[in-house]
Amino acid sequence: MKILVLNCGSSSLKYQVIDMDTRNPITKGLVERIGLQGSELTHGTALQEKVVIKTEIKNHTKAIELVLEQLVAPEYGALKDLNEIYAIGHRVVHGGEKFAKSVIIDASVMRALKDCIELAPLHNPPNIAGIKACQKMMPGIPQVAVFDTAFHQTMQPSSYIYGLPYEYYEKYGIRKYGFHGTSHKYVSQRAAVLLKKPLGELKLISCHLGNGASIAAIRGGRSIDTSMGFTPLDGLLMGTRSGALDPAVVTYIMCRENLDVDQMNDFLNTKCGALGVSGISSDFRDIEVAAKQGNNRAQLALDIFVHDVKQYIGAYATVMGGVDGLIFTAGVGENSMSMRAAICKNMSYLGINLDLEKNEVRGEEVDVSKTNSHCRVLVIPTNEELMIALDTLELTHRKDTMHRAPTIHHGLVKSFP
Ligand code: ADP
């Protein structure tokens, strides 16, 4: 059974076709600069080669049309016929409070997605465009929406309500939503498999540390708090995003630098974080190199990041009343041994004892803690596409088999009746 997974950004489209028997992608690719000059598609063929197509790609409909052509291209396509695609899973950034889990897309879901545009004006419109394009070009193939926010809908009001007049929550939906939910959910389920314990009994802290970074406290498989908020700008210092600030700083900078709302928004999202502090790069690899060469501001950016992550770990261990597993995932979390070591330093008071030798790994699913570490430290490469495909298969297959439930092992769908 094959699932097409689509991730539509404002000017990009990432896709994979996943074979659900092996759980591996059989082809994947990326369309860049949609609606801009110099648009192109890079397609990984079934033969593990790359095909680059440079052509005008006006909009998401055109992009998806081009992708579908590549999937069935006679010379290198991974599929003989588009009908081999059992269902399509879409990553949708914002589901607001309407969606606490993935859903099969129908007319009422489309209406609800449109209602969420106000909350994610940059992200949701391309998601909707991608869904519409698929409906047009692959009518009859079921489509599922998988939301970045859904996993965090289990948070309690004490975690998600801000110290603002309550009417602003009621009127405008201003609250903490949290993001990276698909990733936090995937790695927490894998952690339970690795630790050979039921997810329902575990207290986990998941650190998704990439260009965008967030941390989640997950008790019994449910998100109870997370560092990103109303938008993905909150929480940790990130590649180019400021992370949490005294809110008064925002108005102060707007006055001093004479910035309007859009300019300030752009500033906080693209010119701050590790880039702003280091003055060198938003890429943690570049910053680590510069810090090793003695650049003080690069070192300061790393120190702030480590300090922020440690603070959240301490806070979330307190909120959950302990921690059984600390998970590192995404670009920095999966690959940077030095950052993992710095974050775990002097954390034995929480039972966190990293084994520096085991920690010498990149991108592997492995326990890197000392044998006597009460809290297990795990490196788990995230796989949001697989999680989207699993949710998509579960929902569509369940519908097909008239509500017969799939077999679930440790929360990850393994096989179907
Ligand atoms: P996103 O999906 O948010 O763009 P990723 O999860 O791909 O982010 O992570 C990108 C970040 O991971 C970059 O800052 C990059 O420098 C960092 N990264 C990747 N590999 C390494 C490494 N070996 N050491 C340190 N940082 C790394």
Side-chain angles (χ1 to χ4, degrees):
M1 241 179 235
K2 297 180 183 91
I3 303 282
L4 172 62
V5 176
L6 291 178
N7 180 352
C8 293
S10 52
S11 65
S12 71
L13 162 64
K14 291 188 203 141
Y15 62 93
Q16 288 194 4
V17 176
I18 299 183
D19 180 341
M20 299 311 287
D21 296 329
T22 62
R23 296 173 165 220
N24 288 320
I26 52 173
T27 183
K28 57 177 153 180
L30 166 69
V31 187
E32 289 169 288
R33 303 184 60 79
I34 297 171
L36 303 169
Q37 284 220 321
S39 48
E40 64 176 35
L41 178 152
T42 310
H43 177 74
T45 73
L47 308 168
Q48 307 296 320
E49 287 160 357
K50 278 200 174 137
V51 173
V52 178
I53 298 172
K54 291 181 193 288
T55 179
E56 192 191 0
I57 306 172
K58 288 198 297 279
N59 51 38
H60 286 80
T61 309
K62 182 77 196 153
I64 288 177
E65 206 173 282
L66 205 57
V67 168
L68 298 181
E69 275 171 25
Q70 308 318 306
L71 295 183
V72 292
E75 319 84 77
Y76 51 74
L79 307 174
K80 288 206 174 61
D81 193 300
L82 286 178
N83 281 330
E84 287 175 50
I85 294 174
Y86 184 72
I88 305 166
H90 293 267
R91 174 189 180 215
V92 180
V93 171
H94 217 308
E97 289 187 324
K98 293 197 169 83
F99 299 105
K101 46 183 155 147
S102 307
V103 284
I104 295 187
I105 298 168
D106 59 16
S108 71
V109 170
M110 287 304 276
R111 277 194 297 277
L113 289 182
K114 283 185 194 137
D115 289 345
C116 292
I117 287 180
E118 266 183 33
L119 293 172
L122 295 179
H123 293 104
N124 276 22
N127 296 152
I128 293 171
I131 295 168
K132 281 191 176 157
C134 290
Q135 285 172 335
K136 191 168 144 215
M137 271 170 287
M138 305 206 308
I141 298 190
Q143 301 194 52
V144 168
V146 180
F147 303 93
D148 266 24
T149 46
F151 182 58
H152 301 299
Q153 279 295 305
T154 46
M155 287 186 294
Q156 293 299 303
S158 51
S159 299
Y160 69 70
I161 294 289
Y162 293 128
L164 297 169
Y166 195 78
E167 303 84 80
Y168 283 43
Y169 163 59
E170 296 173 312
K171 260 203 296 192
Y172 304 124
I174 299 176
R175 52 159 283 179
K176 178 189 283 192
Y177 290 99
F179 297 86
H180 289 145
T182 309
S183 174
H184 290 303
K185 182 175 170 189
Y186 174 80
V187 296
S188 61
Q189 293 187 351
R190 289 303 309 162
V193 174
L194 272 183
L195 298 176
K196 298 191 176 66
K197 290 207 173 129
L199 187 55
E201 290 173 14
L202 289 170
K203 294 170 186 162
L204 300 168
I205 297 176
S206 162
C207 304
H208 178 112
L209 310 179
N211 236 327
S214 75
I215 303 197
I218 302 165
R219 188 169 56 204
R222 294 159 66 86
S223 171
I224 62 162
D225 206 350
T226 190
S227 59
M228 281 180 173
F230 179 58
T231 73
L233 188 55
D234 199 5
L236 305 164
L237 165 134
M238 297 175 232
T240 58
R241 293 175 229 166
S242 62
L245 293 170
D246 176 346
V249 170
V250 177
T251 42
Y252 188 80
I253 293 178
M254 287 175 82
C255 285
R256 298 303 295 247
E257 294 283 320
N258 204 15
L259 300 181
D260 66 23
V261 173
D262 286 341
Q263 288 168 325
M264 189 61 195
N265 215 358
D266 184 59
F267 170 77
L268 289 169
N269 276 289
T270 64
K271 312 239 166 25
C272 296
L275 171 68
V277 174
S278 71
I280 289 176
S281 167
S282 62
D283 191 303
F284 279 91
R285 276 168 296 200
D286 300 341
I287 299 173
E288 282 194 45
V289 170
K292 277 205 190 93
Q293 289 166 349
N295 185 304
N296 289 340
R297 274 173 55 188
Q299 187 58 53
L300 178 60
L302 298 178
D303 291 346
I304 298 171
F305 186 71
V306 168
H307 179 81
D308 282 1
V309 175
K310 275 175 170 287
Q311 276 195 332
Y312 275 104
I313 294 172
Y316 289 166
T318 301
V319 169
M320 291 193 292
V323 52
D324 304 309
L326 177 65
I327 307 166
F328 286 103
T329 194
V332 177
E334 292 167 25
N335 295 300
S336 176
M337 304 151 193
S338 54
M339 293 298 266
R340 289 195 300 257
I343 290 164
C344 292
K345 200 170 168 198
N346 296 329
M347 297 285 264
S348 54
Y349 79 100
L350 280 178
I352 296 170
N353 290 293
L354 185 74
D355 184 316
L356 291 175
E357 262 177 47
K358 290 187 197 160
N359 187 42
E360 296 283 315
V361 285
R362 261 199 192 130
E364 277 174 52
E365 198 174 89
V366 60
D367 184 332
V368 290
S369 39
K370 287 189 177 154
T371 328
N372 67 352
S373 182
H374 167 74
C375 169
R376 309 310 303 171
V377 183
L378 307 170
V379 176
I380 302 182
T382 193
N383 194 340
E384 287 158 292
E385 292 79 13
L386 177 60
M387 193 78 243
I388 292 170
L390 287 165
D391 269 15
T392 302
L393 182 59
E394 187 185 345
L395 281 169
T396 50
H397 197 275
R398 192 189 299 161
K399 199 173 167 221
D400 272 5
T401 52
M402 292 191 295
H403 308 288
R404 201 143 45 96
T407 314
I408 310 254
H409 296 284
H410 298 293
L412 274 184
V413 181
K414 271 264 165 70
S415 60
F416 288 84

